[in-house]
Amino acid sequence: MKEYAKFANGAERIIDIFINICLVYLGYYVTYCPPEVAANVNPIGQFTTAGLLCFCSFLIYDIHNLYRPMRNIRVSYFIRRIVFSNFTILLICVFLAATVTDYFVYYASWAMITCIFSIVVMSVKKTVMIFVLHAIRLRQKSLKKVLLITDSQEMTEEYLWEIHSNPEFGYEVIGYVGNLAIEGVKHLGATGDLDRILQEMRPDEVVIAFETVRKSVITKYITICDDHCLKVFVVPAICGFFKSPRQMTSLGTLPMVDVRCNPLDNPTNQFIKRVTDIVLASFFIILFSPIMVVTAIGVRLSSPGPILFRQKRVGMHNKEFTIYKFRSMRVNAKESVGWTTDYDPRKTAFGNFIRKFSIDELPQFFNVLKGDMSIVGPRPEIPYYVEQFRKTVPLYMLKHSVRPGITGLAQIRGLRGDTSIQLRIDEDINYIEHWSWFRDWKILILTPFKFINFHEKRRKKSADKLGDKNKYVVQSFAEAAPAQIEMTVDSKKKEKKTSKTKKGTSPATTEKKAKKGKKTKKAKGDIVQAPAQSANNSATQENASAAQSPKNEDEPS
């Protein structure tokens, strides 16, 4: 298998050189050549230079890891590398055109067209190759035999789950070597017999997975595998914290793991994101200025009070800032920290409209210019809820490692308003750990299709079924801070059931129910008293919350 892989890798390099030579000719015939350029240019010199660049292209591809093994690598990885490689080649060609030749526009156009062709053709070629290899492995061919050295049931199950979830990778676990019983895998023997087992089984790879083991023991196992010329992989005990290769760093010669590394720790990425925020925020302020003027007039006419609603929110590094929104509620309405519902009586009719279409969020572009927020990022919360959620929602505070955003991954996936806090945090962490400039643009492009709060329409239907809109309780906050919300009894629903029962009851049935009613009278009395007691407790808790918390005219988005 190793000899086959080396042959295929070398053949791919030769094929890539041939493809690029053909694309250079294609780009030459497609690019427009002015008559004065054609009269003064030697075609032989042109194609000699282009041929040398094509020959060196596979070196650039190699630098960008285009020829690494494709067994467990996604197509998107190679497509990104192809784009970066051809961009590097294009920069070299543009530099040569500007310094060596007198016809910069012609040669730069030729190089750009050729690189575009190369990106398309190489991406298609790589995609086809990967899919063909995956199809072969799905038929249980060209499998790589793996032997496990482990004493951990949990880590073994995690490794097997990855293998079984991705059969196209083509791995086959032939068994494990260890001193403890592990379910789901064939036991080949104890670690003391490792040398003999490797000689008999002849695996292609060895994977070592221990939760706790001394360095000297692992070194011993690796040495035995080295004697058999086997490739060894070690699954770290803290594998759950590994998300990307960026987490591997070093202190001098000591390798270390940055547990909470994310792409925005890179100063270059921070600079790119900040410049993008400033440019886009300025553009959107100019673009939406007529809408903001009309909204400001509407807010002023809808109810007395300020046009802008200002509220403290928690931003990057847990620093508080003042967020700006168009006011959608009456001033001095309800003095509590209750989470705003879709049918909150504090909202004005105009406020309900601008909230539905997210127009109330437009002033936040000024927060972006100030540096408090970003265009794309996790949504910020008020300090009171941050203190509540940090105690009840796992990994909640990780969202504050980046600037909060006007829109985000959670929002375009429908997790906005009164939705699950845990699901929103999962999406926020996903965004932070896998940030890219292109992903920001993807979220930004999808946002206009998600700017209407469709969840309000769904909540309206469910509230209509319950009968009392003002008693609707937000499920996500009830899960996160149950002490702050008291569930109420829907009296209208009970009245409907009672009236239906009375209409369809016969005299004989009435007598039987009267007898049963005497026995259950006491129990019913207890049930009737429960809502009253619950309401008193709720009132007490609400007053206590209002005393220790600031006014909240608007909900955390």
Side-chain angles (χ1 to χ4, degrees):
M1 184 180 293
K2 293 180 180 179
E3 286 71 14
Y4 167 76
K6 291 180 181 179
F7 172 79
N9 192 274
E12 185 182 5
R13 295 168 187 258
I14 296 173
I15 292 172
D16 285 350
I17 295 173
F18 176 76
I19 289 175
N20 280 328
I21 290 175
C22 295
L23 293 177
V24 166
Y25 276 95
L26 180 62
Y28 172 77
Y29 288 109
V30 171
T31 305
Y32 171 73
C33 182
E36 61 273 14
V37 175
N40 298 305
V41 170
N42 183 7
I44 298 177
Q46 285 180 312
F47 287 108
T48 301
T49 305
L52 290 174
L53 285 174
C54 290
F55 182 75
C56 295
S57 64
F58 80 91
L59 296 177
I60 297 174
Y61 288 168
D62 198 19
I63 293 173
H64 287 87
N65 292 324
L66 267 176
Y67 298 115
R68 64 175 297 179
M70 297 179 287
R71 182 172 291 272
N72 55 354
I73 305 297
R74 304 291 182 185
V75 175
S76 57
Y77 171 89
F78 289 106
I79 292 178
R80 287 195 300 270
R81 296 302 184 275
I82 289 171
V83 173
F84 294 150
S85 299
N86 281 278
F87 184 73
T88 304
I89 296 171
L90 177 62
L91 290 179
I92 295 173
C93 293
V94 169
F95 174 77
L96 293 176
T99 56
V100 177
T101 69
D102 297 327
Y103 306 103
F104 171 76
V105 175
Y106 168 69
Y107 284 108
S109 300
W110 181 13
M112 184 176 65
I113 292 173
T114 302
C115 287
I116 292 173
F117 286 156
S118 180
I119 290 172
V120 174
V121 175
M122 291 296 179
S123 298
V124 172
K125 184 213 74 174
K126 206 71 175 180
T127 302
V128 171
M129 286 180 63
I130 291 175
F131 275 101
V132 170
L133 290 174
H134 285 178
I136 293 173
R137 290 163 188 156
L138 287 173
R139 295 182 180 182
Q140 302 297 309
K141 296 180 179 179
S142 185
L143 298 180
K144 186 168 280 191
K145 296 188 295 181
V146 178
L147 185 140
L148 283 172
I149 304 176
T150 181
D151 282 340
S152 170
Q153 178 72 45
E154 182 181 356
M155 296 183 70
T156 302
E157 289 177 353
E158 289 183 8
Y159 182 81
L160 292 177
W161 185 87
E162 291 292 342
I163 296 296
H164 296 152
S165 300
N166 302 281
E168 69 275 8
F169 290 169
Y171 289 104
E172 178 188 9
V173 178
I174 58 177
Y176 83 97
V177 176
N179 300 323
L180 297 178
I182 303 294
E183 297 180 0
V185 190
K186 182 181 178 182
H187 187 207
L188 300 177
T191 52
D193 300 325
L194 179 60
D195 186 57
R196 175 186 60 80
I197 293 171
L198 292 178
Q199 191 171 3
E200 292 177 357
M201 303 304 296
R202 297 186 179 276
D204 297 309
E205 290 181 1
V206 174
V207 174
I208 301 175
F210 286 97
E211 289 183 347
T212 55
V213 67
R214 294 190 304 274
K215 177 182 176 182
S216 58
V217 176
I218 289 187
T219 304
K220 175 184 176 182
Y221 298 152
I222 293 175
T223 303
I224 295 173
C225 294
D226 289 341
D227 290 340
H228 291 269
C229 299
L230 291 173
K231 201 171 187 64
V232 181
F233 294 91
V234 178
V235 180
I238 57 170
C239 58
F241 291 98
F242 283 88
K243 301 295 181 182
S244 72
R246 291 184 301 271
Q247 294 177 259
M248 294 302 301
T249 181
S250 62
L251 179 64
T253 58
L254 178 66
M256 300 178 70
V257 178
D258 185 350
V259 175
R260 293 301 176 195
C261 174
N262 68 76
L264 286 174
D265 289 339
N266 188 317
T268 302
N269 291 338
Q270 293 177 9
F271 176 77
I272 293 173
K273 186 172 177 63
R274 184 61 188 147
V275 170
T276 305
D277 285 340
I278 294 173
V279 172
L280 290 179
S282 304
F283 171 76
F284 285 132
I285 288 173
I286 297 172
L287 179 65
F288 296 126
S289 56
I291 298 176
M292 287 193 279
V293 171
V294 173
T295 304
I297 297 172
V299 171
R300 174 66 72 180
L301 296 177
S302 62
S303 65
I307 294 174
L308 290 179
F309 168 72
R310 295 174 175 85
Q311 190 180 53
K312 290 292 183 182
R313 297 287 177 100
V314 179
M316 187 167 64
H317 304 318
N318 299 338
K319 294 181 180 178
E320 294 185 9
F321 69 97
T322 302
I323 196 173
Y324 305 127
K325 300 177 78 171
F326 283 119
R327 183 172 56 83
S328 60
M329 296 186 177
R330 297 177 181 86
V331 177
N332 297 322
K334 186 177 179 180
E335 195 170 351
S336 70
V337 294
W339 196 291
T340 302
T341 63
D342 297 328
Y343 299 98
D344 198 306
R346 298 173 290 170
K347 290 195 296 186
T348 63
F350 185 76
N352 192 52
F353 171 77
I354 62 175
R355 287 165 65 89
K356 180 179 179 182
F357 292 95
S358 301
I359 299 174
D360 61 322
E361 311 282 354
L362 293 180
Q364 291 170 32
F365 287 117
F366 292 99
N367 286 113
V368 175
L369 289 181
K370 287 177 61 179
D372 296 328
M373 296 179 66
S374 176
I375 299 291
V376 181
R379 289 295 292 161
E381 305 284 5
I382 65 174
Y384 178 80
Y385 287 114
V386 171
E387 291 302 317
Q388 296 294 324
F389 295 147
R390 73 187 302 172
K391 302 172 185 176
T392 56
V393 182
L395 305 179
Y396 179 80
M397 297 304 291
L398 291 182
K399 65 182 289 186
H400 299 111
S401 60
V402 298
R403 284 189 178 91
I406 299 176
T407 185
L409 184 62
Q411 281 65 46
I412 67 168
R413 293 185 176 175
L415 297 171
R416 56 187 303 179
D418 45 1
T419 52
S420 170
I421 294 297
Q422 184 61 64
L423 292 178
R424 285 156 64 175
I425 289 301
D426 291 342
E427 294 297 342
D428 289 341
I429 295 175
N430 180 15
Y431 166 78
I432 293 170
E433 291 180 341
H434 301 90
W435 178 88
S436 71
W437 189 71
F438 296 102
R439 199 178 196 192
D440 270 4
W441 277 102
K442 179 182 177 180
I443 293 172
L444 194 61
I445 292 171
L446 291 175
T447 296
F449 301 98
K450 305 287 185 179
F451 76 104
I452 298 178
N453 287 334
F454 290 108
H455 72 279
E456 294 191 4
K457 185 176 180 181
R458 293 193 294 268
R459 298 300 184 193
K460 181 177 184 302
K461 292 181 179 180
S462 59
D464 289 341
K465 290 180 181 179
L466 290 173
D468 191 350
K469 297 176 182 178
N470 292 333
K471 289 183 180 179
Y472 176 74
V473 180
V474 181
Q475 181 182 0
S476 58
F477 185 65
E479 294 172 353
Q484 303 298 328
I485 297 177
E486 188 72 34
M487 299 299 292
T488 60
V489 178
D490 190 351
S491 57
K492 290 187 178 181
K493 192 172 182 181
K494 288 187 174 182
E495 289 175 4
K496 291 180 180 179
K497 290 183 177 180
T498 305
S499 60
K500 290 180 180 179
T501 305
K502 288 182 178 180
K503 289 179 182 180
T505 305
S506 63
T509 307
T510 305
E511 289 181 10
K512 293 180 180 179
K513 290 189 175 181
K515 293 178 180 179
K516 292 181 179 180
K518 294 179 180 179
K519 298 179 181 179
T520 57
K521 186 176 181 179
K522 184 178 180 180
K524 287 186 177 179
D526 294 340
I527 295 173
V528 173
Q529 291 173 6
Q533 185 178 359
S534 176
N536 292 333
N537 294 338
S538 179
T540 304
Q541 290 176 357
E542 184 177 343
N543 294 333
S545 300
Q548 66 181 359
S549 307
K551 292 181 180 180
N552 179 35
E553 294 179 347
D554 207 355
E555 92 290 2
S557 300

